[in-house]
Amino acid sequence: MMKRTLLLLGISLIILHGSQAQFLKKLKHNLDSVENAKNAKTTTTTTSTPATTSSSTSSTTSTGNVTQNQAAEAIKQALSKGVSSGIALLNKQNGFFGSDIYKVLLPPDAQKVESTLRQIGLGSQVDKAILQINRSAEQAVGQAAPIFVDAIKQMTITDALNIVSGDNTAATTYFKGKTTDKLKSAFSPVIKGKLDSTLATKYYSDIVATYNKLPTTINKANPDLQGYVTDKAIGALFDQIAKEESSIRTNPVSQTTDLLKKVFGGLGK
């Protein structure tokens, strides 16, 4: 049963892409081979090695020349590539501020604040706050690399096989579970320091204080930016990693190493 399960895991690596019908035929053939070998072994009463060997250890079980170790290494390469691309895109000037997707605007409870203050001539103060909020996110993302490297090093073969046989963002989901708390701890002080050093916190606090003092204000806005910007920065980074992972799984152009091509590139076409 264990050998059959391991074979199924190995086979799942090559059916991610390519001809489904052809892989299913290969699946049946290999399962039959393993079952026959298992039955032959159980009927042998001597301790000698069977003449025909049709299985190997769990670390090298393979189908279509893709082993579990290769699968594990491939997913680590994919994760490393996704992380590098995400950080490179966001950890630079205008990585957030110049992005139509990731630009950090004022918190939801401050949207009305922004509108009201622009109407009374304080638009430039609002713009300064938004700019510096984004600058803090851009700087914080640079702290992510060692956290992700550590998570990749700790990944087991079982983790990697589950990821490879999962959906197009299974690796990103794995990363979220392993790194989110550490990323918050690393990003938060960087964002606070950047906000404080560039007066962004003061800009925003002044905006919120002004709004909260208006006679028409019933629901007061929260002047604390640190947690909000931290969550936005982490969310953008994971979104980029997910996009890169999906591309590696489905787009041959993104399979930039021989191993990525072998594991994700429709082996056996």
Side-chain angles (χ1 to χ4, degrees):
M1 180 61 72
M2 180 60 70
K3 293 177 181 178
R4 188 181 182 89
T5 300
L6 290 173
L7 186 61
L8 283 171
L9 286 171
I11 291 169
S12 67
L13 303 177
I14 67 168
I15 63 173
L16 291 171
H17 307 288
S19 171
Q20 189 79 7
Q22 185 175 357
F23 286 135
L24 287 175
K25 290 179 181 178
K26 186 179 292 185
L27 168 62
K28 184 178 184 301
H29 171 75
N30 283 285
L31 286 176
D32 289 343
S33 297
V34 170
E35 193 64 30
N36 290 338
K38 178 183 175 183
N39 291 337
K41 186 174 183 179
T42 57
T43 57
T44 301
T45 58
T46 66
T47 58
S48 60
T49 302
T52 302
T53 301
S54 59
S55 62
S56 57
T57 65
S58 62
S59 63
T60 58
T61 297
S62 65
T63 300
N65 298 320
V66 176
T67 68
Q68 290 184 4
N69 283 338
Q70 287 175 326
E73 182 59 30
I75 203 63
K76 289 179 181 181
Q77 285 186 13
L79 284 168
S80 297
K81 188 171 184 290
V83 168
S84 298
S85 297
I87 292 176
L89 179 71
L90 299 171
N91 181 220
K92 63 183 180 181
Q93 184 165 317
N94 293 329
F96 279 86
F97 187 72
S99 171
D100 292 335
I101 300 173
Y102 302 122
K103 183 176 181 179
V104 182
L105 302 177
L106 293 182
D109 67 346
Q111 296 297 317
K112 191 174 181 179
V113 177
E114 177 180 357
S115 177
T116 300
L117 293 180
R118 289 189 185 280
Q119 290 174 11
I120 62 176
L122 295 176
S124 63
Q125 195 173 14
V126 173
D127 291 337
K128 288 178 181 178
I130 292 174
L131 173 62
Q132 301 308 334
I133 286 169
N134 282 272
R135 291 289 184 255
S136 71
E138 290 162 4
Q139 183 173 339
V141 167
Q143 306 298 309
I147 295 172
F148 284 123
V149 168
D150 185 58
I152 292 173
K153 286 181 179 179
Q154 294 181 21
M155 183 182 296
T156 66
I157 288 179
T158 300
D159 291 332
L161 289 172
N162 288 336
I163 291 170
V164 171
S165 60
D167 61 30
N168 280 357
T169 57
T172 306
T173 300
Y174 172 86
F175 253 172
K176 284 181 180 179
K178 296 293 183 180
T179 66
T180 295
D181 289 343
K182 293 180 181 178
L183 289 173
K184 286 184 177 181
S185 296
F187 282 21
S188 188
V190 174
I191 287 173
K192 182 181 185 303
K194 183 66 175 178
L195 292 176
D196 290 346
S197 68
T198 58
L199 298 180
T201 301
K202 182 179 184 302
Y203 289 141
Y204 182 72
S205 297
D206 289 347
I207 289 170
V208 173
T210 300
Y211 176 79
N212 287 344
K213 290 177 182 178
L214 294 175
T216 56
T217 301
I218 297 175
N219 298 318
K220 306 297 183 181
N222 186 351
D224 182 21
L225 275 178
Q226 186 176 333
Y228 170 75
V229 179
T230 298
D231 287 343
K232 283 291 187 180
I234 292 173
L237 182 56
F238 279 132
D239 188 61
Q240 269 301 301
I241 293 172
K243 289 177 179 178
E244 184 67 23
E245 179 189 357
S246 181
S247 181
I248 289 171
R249 288 177 181 268
T250 60
N251 186 356
V253 175
S254 296
Q255 295 159 6
T256 54
T257 70
D258 290 340
L259 188 56
L260 289 177
K261 291 174 183 176
K262 187 174 186 177
V263 174
F264 296 112
L267 182 70
K269 286 182 179 180

